[in-house]
Amino acid sequence: MSLISKTYQERHLQSGGGLFGKVRVPGDKSISHRALLFGAIAEGTTTIEGLLPAEDPISTASCLRKMGVSISQIKRNQNIEIEGVGLDGFKEPKEILDCGNSGTTMRLILGLLAGRSGRHFVLTGDESLRRRPMQRVGQPLKLMGAKVNGRSNGNFAPLAVCGQKLRGAVIGTPVASAQIKSAILLAALTAEGSTTVIEPAHSRDHSERMLKAFGANLEVGGEMGRHINVQPGYKLQGQKVIVPGDISSAAFWIIGASIVPGSDLTIENVGLNPTRTGILEVLQQMEASFEIINTREVAGEPVGNIHITHEPSLKPFTLDEEIMPRLIDEVPILTVAACLIDGVSSITGASELRVKETDRLAVMTRQLKAMGAHIEEHSDGLTIYGGKPLQGALLDSETDHRVAMSLAIASLVAKSNSKMIRSDAAAVSYPDFWEDLENLRN
Ligand code: S3P
């Protein structure tokens, strides 16, 4: 479903009330996309347990179905089965592939389709996705011989991919982006000769872990795993994938429990992949009161439970370019935390936030200022002068799922009630967010 149809109906948000009890957040969005995509190009059946049943992975599944991949219906609490078509099995789709609101869908699928020689594909998305830069993927793929066209010299969807026989290459990516890296790795699986991706900083590594588990010949080397090499010619084999809870969804409860007085919460089954746990480093900086319990490894990904209680004297924090790839999606909710913490918090090296589902630096500043926050916006970050009470306000997600959920947490600590329009954006990554919020509130 396209976000253009998101409703403007106002949702009432009552202030106050701590967060209590236990919650299991839905499956990791990044891992869910990859399980669907890799299952589609594997041989045989892939079974996915814990797939995120939200709009973004549903967009990935619907694109794959249009290319002849059989995927069982995506329903809550039900395993998903995919019949893989093999590395070169995609049918030329008769329809446009609609990636909805999902940048991961569009970018990873671009990598998969670039090498399907003799076939033509057209990809588009909702209004937000059609504004997001795609040349960052098209450009490196062109170095491998790909033909990708689109508006503004191939930068904006709708995009047309004319499948080509690709050649391997050594490619340095300009930004640490798991989406760019993964697109190149997927194209490399069927290219002629080996491909190496060199990232400026280590982005999330779910693709590397899962491609290896599916049987790809992939090696990770270099300082901090920034060099990834793929040798083509290895078929992928269908697997059982178990998707852990998404730490980026858990982040709303983690920060909520830290800042809302009286909270005491356990978040179960949270993925703790070290390329994603920047928020835990920030909790330490903030001197938050939390512990990680029952850590274990599930299907190649570290997992644990997080127990967190309200901490009345949190410390301001500093985020810079170094930590950014490990908490890129958590910046909106961390901005809410900074508003509540006495002192000045600073976020730099975050210009990537401007090309997410919305310009998250601008949108969070605008919405939190409506609540009375004192925030200065810079080209690559924010300075937040915290400790001033937030007031209830008329809020707008501006169609961004993470903004909707961040503002919902901000509304709990506001001095008066708020309202939010386009709150249903949360369904992009967390379909039961509003129900869980109701259940966890005191
Ligand atoms: C994602 C990578 C991140 C993240 C996005 C999901 C992925 O984007 O913001 O929500 O699944 O690869 P970038 O890789 O572009 O930073």
Side-chain angles (χ1 to χ4, degrees):
M1 203 225 310
S2 155
L3 268 186
I4 300 163
S5 65
K6 291 283 174 204
T7 66
Y8 280 76
Q9 200 190 356
E10 289 175 2
R11 179 181 287 273
H12 182 74
L13 302 172
Q14 204 174 345
S15 71
L19 299 171
F20 281 94
K22 285 185 185 166
V23 62
R24 267 177 102 83
V25 285
D28 187 279
K29 182 157 79 69
S30 293
I31 297 176
S32 295
H33 284 298
R34 286 158 176 80
L36 290 166
L37 293 166
F38 303 173
I41 55 166
E43 313 267 321
T45 308
T46 287
T47 305
I48 311 172
E49 187 181 313
L51 184 104
L52 169 65
E55 289 175 14
D56 267 11
I58 287 172
S59 294
T60 293
S62 104
C63 291
L64 291 168
R65 287 192 187 110
K66 284 181 181 162
M67 296 187 288
V69 183
S70 153
I71 304 175
S72 62
Q73 218 192 332
I74 297 178
K75 281 193 190 154
R76 281 175 177 75
N77 306 320
Q78 205 164 297
N79 286 0
I80 307 301
E81 301 242 309
I82 307 174
E83 293 310 321
V85 294
L87 280 174
D88 198 32
F90 287 143
K91 283 199 312 216
E92 187 174 64
K94 292 194 193 91
E95 292 167 77
I96 292 172
L97 303 175
D98 185 356
C99 304
N101 189 240
S102 175
T104 311
T105 305
M106 185 168 278
R107 295 194 175 116
L108 269 59
I109 284 187
L110 276 176
L112 266 185
L113 301 185
R116 307 281 79 81
S117 54
R119 278 155 280 177
H120 181 258
F121 309 88
V122 181
L123 293 103
T124 193
D126 70 3
E127 213 178 295
S128 149
L129 189 56
R130 293 197 307 270
R131 278 196 301 265
R132 296 180 66 187
M134 293 297 146
Q135 216 158 30
R136 47 176 56 203
V137 176
Q139 198 63 39
L141 291 176
K142 278 178 191 163
L143 296 176
M144 302 173 76
K147 281 197 180 159
V148 181
N149 290 310
R151 291 182 299 128
S152 292
N153 205 16
N155 201 26
F156 299 118
L159 300 171
V161 180
C162 186
Q164 301 293 313
K165 183 77 203 138
L166 302 180
R167 48 185 184 274
V170 177
I171 298 172
T173 57
V175 273
S177 157
Q179 296 179 353
I180 304 177
K181 169 177 68 179
S182 304
I184 302 168
L185 297 178
L186 289 173
L189 293 174
T190 55
E192 208 167 282
S194 92
T195 296
T196 302
V197 185
I198 303 171
E199 290 199 282
H202 194 29
S203 66
R204 63 188 67 185
D205 68 356
H206 306 299
S207 290
E208 293 92 307
R209 287 172 187 251
M210 207 189 290
L211 279 172
K212 269 194 196 170
F214 271 79
N217 186 342
L218 181 143
E219 262 177 48
V220 180
E223 180 209 336
M224 309 272 292
R226 292 187 302 110
H227 295 205
I228 306 109
N229 177 268
V230 172
Q231 299 288 339
Y234 292 79
K235 288 179 178 170
L236 305 189
Q237 286 304 328
Q239 300 293 314
K240 166 92 191 254
V241 181
I242 303 174
V243 183
D246 197 326
I247 190 166
S248 298
S249 298
F252 303 107
W253 307 131
I254 293 173
I255 294 301
S258 304
I259 63 176
V260 184
S263 298
D264 186 332
L265 197 60
T266 301
I267 310 151
E268 296 177 328
N269 188 42
V270 182
L272 296 172
N273 179 310
T275 60
R276 298 283 299 280
T277 48
I279 188 167
L280 304 182
E281 298 169 48
V282 185
L283 289 181
Q284 274 162 351
Q285 263 197 67
M286 286 164 52
E287 298 181 13
S289 168
F290 75 106
E291 55 181 340
I292 314 276
I293 41 188
N294 193 15
T295 48
R296 56 213 183 267
E297 178 136 337
V298 179
E301 291 277 351
V303 173
N305 297 349
I306 300 175
H307 175 228
I308 184 139
T309 55
H310 172 241
E311 169 53 58
S313 50
L314 293 168
K315 304 286 177 292
F317 56 84
T318 302
L319 312 182
D320 60 14
E321 190 183 29
E322 192 280 321
I323 199 170
M324 208 44 66
R326 297 196 295 286
L327 49 63
I328 186 82
D329 292 336
E330 284 67 84
V331 173
I333 186 63
L334 285 167
T335 306
V336 172
C339 290
L340 271 294
I341 299 172
D342 252 328
V344 183
S345 291
S346 145
I347 302 173
T348 56
S351 51
E352 274 296 296
L353 271 281
R354 297 206 180 272
V355 290
K356 292 295 176 189
E357 286 81 334
T358 59
D359 175 344
R360 287 180 174 159
L361 296 179
V363 173
M364 288 307 295
T365 302
R366 191 158 46 235
Q367 295 300 322
L368 288 168
K369 274 190 172 172
M371 302 182 87
H374 183 181
I375 304 177
E376 275 168 16
E377 188 184 338
H378 315 291
S379 59
D380 76 333
L382 304 172
T383 306
I384 303 119
Y385 300 87
K388 203 175 149 215
L390 294 180
Q391 306 300 329
L394 175 60
L395 302 169
D396 183 358
S397 76
E398 303 196 29
T399 75
D400 188 321
H401 56 129
R402 299 204 197 278
V403 171
M405 294 184 273
S406 300
L407 295 176
I409 299 301
S411 75
L412 298 178
V413 285
K415 293 288 163 220
S416 51
N417 297 341
S418 299
K419 285 180 178 170
M420 189 189 295
I421 57 169
R422 299 192 275 189
S423 61
D424 40 358
V428 159
S429 62
Y430 197 155
D432 293 336
F433 175 79
W434 297 108
E435 288 78 4
D436 282 355
L437 176 60
E438 240 2 87
N439 292 337
L440 294 173
R441 286 184 79 175
N442 191 5

